[in-house]
Amino acid sequence: TFTLPPILLVLLTSLLIPRTSNPVNLTYGLDGLAAGASLMVFGAYTLVNIWQNNQWCGREPGPTCYEVRDPLDLAIFAAAITGACFGFLWWNASPAKIFMGDTGSLALGGALAGLAVLTRTEFLLALLGGLFVIQTLSVILQVGFFKATKGRRLFRMAPLHHHFEMLGWE
């Protein structure tokens, strides 16, 4: 197996947390979008952790086992957040009656980063959280295009979900 030196692991983790929290925060802004996307990602992490528990080295050591600490506990944690997002989405779907705000969206992103590190699936996070990646790339492209073209815009508004709102999508 490939093992990073502790200093590189700390550096990677300290870079991963804000690069996961901020995209979830950017996605929050349309009723139910961040909660709905987070629900699916945490649900996927629940399944990943159940699979890791079935392949866990703590149960049957061998060459094909998966070395993750306490995968069933991580599955329970991911399932709890999945349920919390589902319950929140019930009241946050359009028209929203309650709001998550920055505190909740940043916490969801931090929990995603924590699950990615603890399950050793940092690269899988980019695929599972693809919507968050797209939202962040739309902001980066908008700002870069705006600065490069002296005031022209690539999208009507960034992040991307606001662009679609301006086009008339609900």
Side-chain angles (χ1 to χ4, degrees):
T1 63
F2 179 72
T3 304
L4 285 175
I7 190 71
L8 286 178
L9 182 62
V10 169
L11 181 64
L12 174 70
T13 303
S14 65
L15 291 174
L16 184 67
I17 292 170
R19 283 169 177 72
T20 306
S21 291
N22 195 37
V24 176
N25 190 31
L26 288 173
T27 304
Y28 184 72
L30 188 65
D31 293 347
L33 185 59
S38 295
L39 181 139
M40 289 185 276
V41 176
F42 282 111
Y45 264 111
T46 301
L47 296 176
V48 165
N49 285 304
I50 290 170
W51 181 84
Q52 286 180 344
N53 183 57
N54 293 334
Q55 313 299 322
W56 187 35
C57 290
R59 180 171 296 155
E60 292 181 29
T64 60
C65 65
Y66 201 83
E67 290 189 44
V68 172
R69 182 172 169 167
D70 304 322
L72 195 56
D73 293 342
L74 294 174
I76 292 169
F77 176 74
I81 296 181
T82 302
C85 286
F86 184 77
F88 177 80
L89 190 59
W90 182 267
W91 297 102
N92 188 249
S94 185
K97 293 176 186 61
I98 59 171
F99 299 96
M100 182 184 309
D102 290 344
T103 304
S105 60
L106 290 170
L108 285 176
L112 278 177
L115 275 172
V117 171
L118 292 172
T119 60
R120 298 181 179 183
T121 56
E122 293 90 346
F123 294 115
L124 181 63
L125 178 61
L127 180 65
L128 291 177
L131 177 67
F132 305 127
V133 173
I134 291 169
Q135 294 283 357
T136 304
L137 287 176
S138 73
V139 172
I140 292 169
L141 288 172
Q142 178 84 323
V143 171
F145 192 80
F146 187 83
K147 289 183 177 186
T149 60
K150 297 183 173 90
R152 293 184 53 222
R153 296 179 187 276
L154 187 59
F155 304 110
R156 290 189 178 189
M157 185 182 240
L160 191 60
H161 61 271
H162 290 307
H163 170 77
F164 290 125
E165 275 186 310
M166 299 281 244
L167 291 176
W169 291 24
E170 291 187 18

